[in-house]
Structure formats: structure tokens, C-alpha cells
Amino acid sequence: MAWPEALALMLGLVCGGMALGLPVAFAFLLANIVGGFAFLGGSMSLSTFAAECMQAIGRFSLTPIPLFILMGEILFQSGVALKAISAVDRLIARVPGRLSIVTIFGGTLFSTLSGSTIANTALLGNVLLPQMVERGYAPKFAMGPIMATGGIAMLIPPSALAVLLASLAEQPIAALLIAGIVPGIMMAMLFFGYVIVRSAISPHLAPPYDPSEQISGSRWRPFLVQVVPLLSIFAVVVGSIFTGIASPTESAALGCVASTVACAAYRSLSWQKLVKAALETAKITTMILFIIAGSLTFSQVLAVSGATTGLIATMQALDLGVLMIVIVMLLILLFLGAFMDQVSMLLLTLPFFIPLALQQGVEMLWFMVLILLVMEISLLTPPFGLLLFVMKGVAPMRVTLTQVYAAAVPFVALELAVLALIVLAPGVATWLPKLIE
Amino acid sequence: MTVPIRQAKAVVGKGYGRLLTGIGYLVAASICAMAILITLDVGLRAFRIGNLPWLNEVAEYALYAGTFLAAPWALRLGAHVRIDIVVDGLPDRASRSLEQFVDLLGGGVCAVLLYFGCVGTLEAYEFGHMQFKTITIPNWPLLSVFAFSMLLLTVEFGFRFARASRPGAARGEDRGQTSGM
């Protein structure tokens, strides 16, 4: 079978299975079985599949995935994150679009403590959206910052997806984790600017009010008590990597223990909450790692059938130049991201993109940051961006999906601006990890 | 269906559900244990007391075994990522038929992998394949986890197939979810 047919068969099986509603991991497994028989010598290759799965999943470098998720879940389930957001709410005085500013500040803060975009969005949506609606905020102006800031958890460490990406691409995990900090903060700053300018121009979107009428007592004390100590968790995670005390894997474990200690110190931890956090972590981790196991043979089949080399040779023949090839890859990811979840799109494209990027001499750290940014953007791109549905789930019943889509559009534009900046100026993303090296 | 058969099915279904839940708790506990032991290892190293040389390998095996053992539990909870556009767009009856077809397909995939998982495990047992790392252990118990997982997944797809026959079941809560990262 020629490589274009092999490629069409494999992609067709995965995408067809997914379109029918087969869980993604099983769609990959279906393609593996067919591909195993067609290209890898049949039963021989399938009888070694279990051993290959063990090698692919049983990697110490993947342990930060459950641990970063557990860290966020502990803070989320214990209610400590919720108290921190409330403390931020008290701190911010009368500014245009105040509650949206609280959302962005609180969400960015929680991003430093959680590796989960869903937990981040759900938390912000549950806590702040009812207040915004009550204060007469326009729904699309209320929801946009929540979704956009929720996604920042993917960039700012701890980020489970950054660990997965670096691990699959066989690139340094620590460098990618650190490289996400600057773009993450840049996005938050842009969101701040947009909200302030937009609410100053159109005050009806976020009716101004005097927060002092509902806040009694000290503004700073809750912030100092509920928020500042939590920053020590971020310091433990990033600091242990910076100082070389721990590897990224070990820093994730330290972060879990630090989160547990912090929640216990706030007397917010109970056995039930801890169990709930651990069960949620087990569920999400299983889902992610099972897709990785499912997609394992997929990349081998693509390589053996000649699809990978064929596609790379075709791209080379087009003579597009490095920058254009990178842009084409990002456009493909943006397109897929509108229909697919982040893990699936990574596993579907990395077997082509990593060899192509390496072959073209693309700076891998820069390229991985770009992939992370595109994946963050794709959380918000209609029709199937993940956070759009998380938002719909926590929003009042009368909010339509079209309103949710409309809310995301300005923030997608801002995120695309950051992406464009980093495409044109790679140093923006890579200077910090290089400085640490 | 007679009452005793229905009761027996209910008992089996309940017992199976408990087994999956138990596995879920076990995997959750293993993740917590990983966090504690890795922290302990860093602490021991920092204070130059020693280290836990076996820890990386145990964590690797736990990650592999945990993923495969908990996969049927996650399937029961609808925690595996899936795209529902087609199923959601169909009328109830067609939606249930498609759901059952998908369950048959999923069950078939797992049954094929169960067969090959057993072949791989038996080969490893017969030839005495070993994992030679800090801890030396035979390969077959590790590989049997894969086969056991596929067995449970095949059974779970069977349960899903049966559940999907009920009106409205295709839009029930045992549906997929999207990625949690």
C-alpha cells in the first residue's frame, strides 16, 4: 500500500471511530489492530502490544501528570482555592469591569497552583459568574475572561499538558515548564488591558458599583491570610526545579505535599475531600494515559507504512521555508483544536510534527511553546473548544452556546496576537529557560 | 425474563460495579502513595540519609498498571474522552442503535486485544522473560495486567451495550467527557 493510502486508512479509522462516538483511546486501538495486521506483520506485532504499552506508559517522566492534577484537585476540593478567589475579590477596589479583573487575577493565581484548565474554569465560573450576572454584567463580557483565564493553567507551571508534550517529544520538561511562564503572564496582562478599556468604553457591559457596600472589615487581611501563603506552593514547585533540588517529576510530588499541608493548615482538609481529590485525579489520569497507550502503535504504523517520511518529503518538496512550515503546522493544530481535545490532537500530529521540526532544524523549545499556545487557544475555538462546554455547564440555563462562543471571540483574538508575537520573536518565550540554564 | 435470572443479573452487575470501584480507589491510593514516597526520597537525598533506589521503577509499574486497571472503571464513569456530535444529533432510537454499535465495536477491539494480551503473557511465561532493572521480576505478571484490563473492558462494553437498549440511555450520564487538562 502506498503511503497516502496508508495515511488515509489510519487517519480515517481514528477520525471515523471518533466521529461515531467511540472513545478516543479505543478509536486509536481500533486503528492499531487494523494497522498491525496491514503493516506490522499481524499477530506477531499485536502479541507484543502489551509489552510496548508497559514501556510507553511506565515512564517516570510521566508521573508529574497525575501529581500536578492531584495538586490542583486538593486545593479545589478542599475549598482553599475558593477562599483565595474570594480574598482577591475583596482586595480589588473600584475599577472598570471589577469582577472581570478579579476573575483574571484570581484565575492567573490559581494557574500557579493547578495544572488543570477544567478545574480553573469551573472554579472561576462557579464563584464569580453568579456575582457578575447579579451585578448586571453582559453574559458574553462575564464569561469571556473566565474561559480565557481558565486556559492559562495550561501555560503557567504546574502544567500537566506541558509535561505530556515535552515527554512525548523527548525534550527537557523543566525548560518547557519554565518557558510557559512569560507567555502566560503576557496573556493575563492583555486580558486585563482589554477588560479595562472595553468596560471604560462601554460601561453597560459591566455596570460599575462600589464594592465597599458589600465588603466589611479589612481588605488586605484575607489576601495576606488566604492567598500569600499559597504562593509558597508555587515557590516549592518552581523553586525546587530552579535550584536543582528536585527534578520536574519530584517537584510535582513536593507540590502535592505542600498543597496538602497548606489545606491542613487552613483546617480545610477532611478525609472525604482528600479521597474525592484522589479519585478525580485517578479518573483524569487514566483517561489521559490510556489515550497515550492507544496511540502508541499508531505512530509506529505511520512510520513503517512510509506515511511519516512520505508526508515530510512532500512538505520539503514544497520548499516553504522553516517559518512557513511551522505556521502550516500551527494552522493544522488550530483547525484540529476546534474539533478535538488537546491530548488527541497531540498524539495524532506529533508523529509527523516532531520529526519534521527536527529535520528542518526548528528550535524545539520555541516550537513546543507554540504548540502549547495553540492548544490553549483551541480550548476556546468553536464549535468544540473544551472550555466553551465547561462554561456552558456552569453558566445559568438561559445562557446559550452562541453567547458562550461570542464571549470567547475577543479573547481568542488576543491569544492569537500573543501567538503571532512569539512566532515572530521566539526570544520572548525562550529567554527565561535559557537564563536558568 | 424470569425473576431469578433478573436478580442474578442484578447481583452480578452490582458485584462487578463494586470491583471496578474498588480498583478506582486502589489506583487513587497509589497516586497518593507516589506523591508521599517521591517527597520522602527527595528529603532523604537532601539530608544525605540515603535514597529509595527502587522508587522510580515502582512508580513506573504503578503508572502502567494503574492506567490499565482503572480504564474499565473510567469507562463505567464515562470518563474516557469521546465526541458526541453524531449521537446527539440523532433521534433517540437511532441514537441508541448507534450507541450499541459503538459498544459492540469497542467490545470487539478489547476482545481482540484480550486474545493477543493472553498470547503475549503466555509467551513471556513460557520463555521466562524477565525485567532486569533494580528490581528483577518476571514479565508475565506485568503483562497479565493488560490482558485482565482488556477482559474487564470487554465485559464493561457488554454492560454498556445492554444499558444502551433502554429508552433515553444514549443520552444518559454514562457518556464520555472531554480531557481534563
Side-chain angles (χ1 to χ4, degrees):
Chain A
M1 198 185 287
W3 75 262
E5 283 99 64
L7 181 66
L9 174 71
M10 294 304 286
L11 290 179
L13 281 167
V14 175
C15 296
M18 282 161 68
L20 284 175
L22 192 63
V24 174
F26 297 91
F28 272 113
L29 289 174
L30 172 68
N32 287 346
I33 293 173
V34 176
F37 276 111
F39 305 105
L40 299 178
S43 55
M44 189 67 178
S45 73
L46 288 169
S47 61
T48 59
F49 184 62
E52 286 166 9
C53 284
M54 189 164 67
Q55 279 188 339
I57 302 298
R59 278 192 286 173
F60 196 61
S61 63
L62 292 178
T63 46
I65 293 176
L67 299 178
F68 279 155
I69 295 170
L70 179 62
M71 201 177 133
E73 283 291 337
I74 290 169
L75 293 163
F76 182 60
Q77 301 292 346
S78 65
V80 167
L82 194 136
K83 285 180 193 161
I85 302 284
S86 301
V88 170
D89 185 16
R90 295 172 71 95
L91 186 69
I92 292 174
R94 194 173 176 175
V95 286
R98 179 183 173 277
L99 286 171
S100 296
I101 297 292
V102 172
T103 302
I104 298 165
F105 187 29
T108 309
L109 189 80
F110 191 50
S111 294
T112 65
L113 307 169
S114 162
S116 166
T117 53
I118 285 191
N120 210 358
T121 309
L123 174 75
L124 296 169
N126 279 319
V127 178
L128 291 164
L129 190 61
Q131 282 191 57
M132 290 175 167
V133 172
E134 196 185 316
R135 293 276 168 197
Y137 276 52
K140 71 173 188 180
F141 197 72
M143 291 183 294
I146 294 176
M147 291 186 283
T149 315
I152 289 181
M154 192 181 276
L155 283 175
I156 296 180
S159 163
L161 205 75
V163 173
L164 177 63
L165 172 59
S167 187
L168 291 172
E170 296 179 349
Q171 299 293 320
I173 294 172
L176 183 58
L177 283 172
I178 303 295
I181 295 175
V182 174
I185 292 172
M186 275 174 63
M187 277 192 184
M189 300 305 286
L190 267 181
F191 298 160
F192 271 125
Y194 171 76
V195 165
I196 289 173
V197 171
R198 192 86 172 84
S199 18
I201 295 170
S202 316
H204 67 279
L205 291 174
Y209 69 99
D210 186 1
S212 60
E213 67 195 34
Q214 65 167 176
I215 296 171
S216 58
S218 167
R219 283 180 183 282
W220 281 96
R221 194 171 178 279
F223 184 79
L224 293 173
V225 174
Q226 303 288 354
V227 178
V228 174
L230 288 184
L231 296 177
S232 62
I233 300 172
F234 180 72
V236 165
V237 174
V238 178
S240 61
I241 299 175
F242 264 125
T243 53
I245 293 171
S247 66
T249 309
E250 292 166 340
S251 76
L254 296 178
C256 287
V257 173
S259 303
T260 312
V261 170
C263 295
Y266 285 120
R267 296 172 186 265
S268 298
L269 202 61
S270 69
W271 187 242
Q272 284 86 349
K273 287 173 183 171
L274 202 57
V275 170
K276 179 95 197 296
L279 283 172
E280 284 300 312
T281 305
K283 208 167 73 178
I284 297 169
T285 305
T286 300
M287 176 270 291
I288 296 164
L289 295 184
F290 201 66
I291 297 178
I292 299 175
S295 69
L296 177 72
T297 308
F298 180 76
S299 52
Q300 284 176 9
V301 172
L302 290 176
V304 171
S305 65
T308 310
T309 45
L311 202 66
I312 291 172
T314 308
M315 291 288 279
Q316 276 179 310
L318 292 174
D319 201 19
L320 295 170
V322 175
L323 186 63
M324 194 47 79
I325 284 179
V326 169
I327 290 172
V328 169
M329 288 194 276
L330 296 180
L331 288 174
I332 292 171
L333 283 171
L334 273 173
F335 173 76
L336 289 177
F339 302 95
M340 224 176 251
D341 76 286
Q342 281 58 41
V343 180
S344 308
M345 65 194 246
L346 264 189
L347 293 168
L348 207 59
T349 54
L350 284 191
F352 300 106
F353 287 1
I354 296 300
L356 183 59
L358 286 170
Q359 212 256 345
Q360 293 286 323
V362 174
E363 188 184 355
M364 290 308 286
L365 182 59
W366 170 62
F367 183 52
M368 287 192 298
V369 173
L370 292 177
I371 293 180
L372 268 186
L373 279 166
V374 170
M375 285 195 294
E376 198 206 331
I377 294 167
S378 67
L379 288 168
L380 296 183
T381 46
F384 299 116
L386 171 63
L387 295 185
L388 301 169
F389 291 94
V390 176
M391 191 70 250
K392 178 78 180 77
V394 297
M397 290 293 281
R398 62 191 154 82
V399 171
T400 64
L401 197 55
T402 315
Q403 285 176 310
V404 178
Y405 288 166
V409 170
F411 293 91
V412 170
L414 293 173
E415 290 179 345
L416 284 171
V418 175
L419 179 72
L421 175 71
I422 294 173
V423 166
L424 298 172
V428 173
T430 56
W431 71 269
L432 189 58
K434 282 182 178 164
L435 184 77
I436 292 158
E437 272 174 26
Chain B
M1 197 187 292
T2 57
V3 174
I5 293 177
R6 208 180 296 154
Q7 282 177 337
K9 274 181 77 176
V11 169
V12 170
K14 213 171 176 179
Y16 182 74
R18 280 185 183 158
L19 170 71
L20 296 189
T21 308
I23 290 173
Y25 274 86
L26 200 68
V27 173
S30 76
I31 294 171
C32 295
M34 231 185 267
I36 296 166
L37 288 172
I38 293 173
T39 305
L40 180 67
D41 189 41
V42 173
L44 289 173
R45 237 177 30 226
F47 291 106
R48 298 176 193 280
I49 298 170
N51 67 342
L52 307 174
W54 43 266
L55 182 59
N56 286 17
E57 276 167 47
V58 171
E60 287 171 355
Y61 293 138
L63 216 52
Y64 153 72
T67 300
F68 277 91
L69 289 175
W73 169 66
L75 184 63
R76 171 153 289 209
L77 296 176
H80 285 288
V81 188
R82 55 176 266 173
I83 297 168
D84 301 334
I85 328 159
V86 179
V87 177
D88 281 347
L90 292 173
D92 186 54
R93 199 166 166 182
S95 169
R96 279 188 283 140
S97 299
L98 178 60
E99 191 69 43
Q100 286 190 310
F101 171 71
V102 163
D103 290 334
L104 271 183
L105 196 60
V109 165
C110 294
V112 170
L113 292 175
L114 166 63
Y115 169 75
F116 285 108
C118 289
V119 170
T121 306
L122 287 173
E123 277 176 3
Y125 179 75
E126 279 172 19
F127 293 106
H129 292 161
M130 304 288 282
Q131 287 280 332
F132 291 105
K133 292 185 185 172
T134 310
I135 312 165
T136 303
I137 50 167
N139 245 357
W140 71 264
L142 296 167
L143 297 181
S144 66
V145 169
F146 176 88
F148 183 58
S149 167
M150 290 303 147
L151 172 66
L152 294 181
L153 283 166
T154 309
V155 174
E156 183 52 31
F157 271 115
F159 277 114
R160 285 172 70 91
F161 180 84
R163 283 199 298 268
S165 64
R166 296 178 207 140
R171 290 186 179 80
E173 60 181 14
D174 60 338
R175 305 288 300 279
Q177 70 167 37
T178 37
S179 150
M181 298 215 286

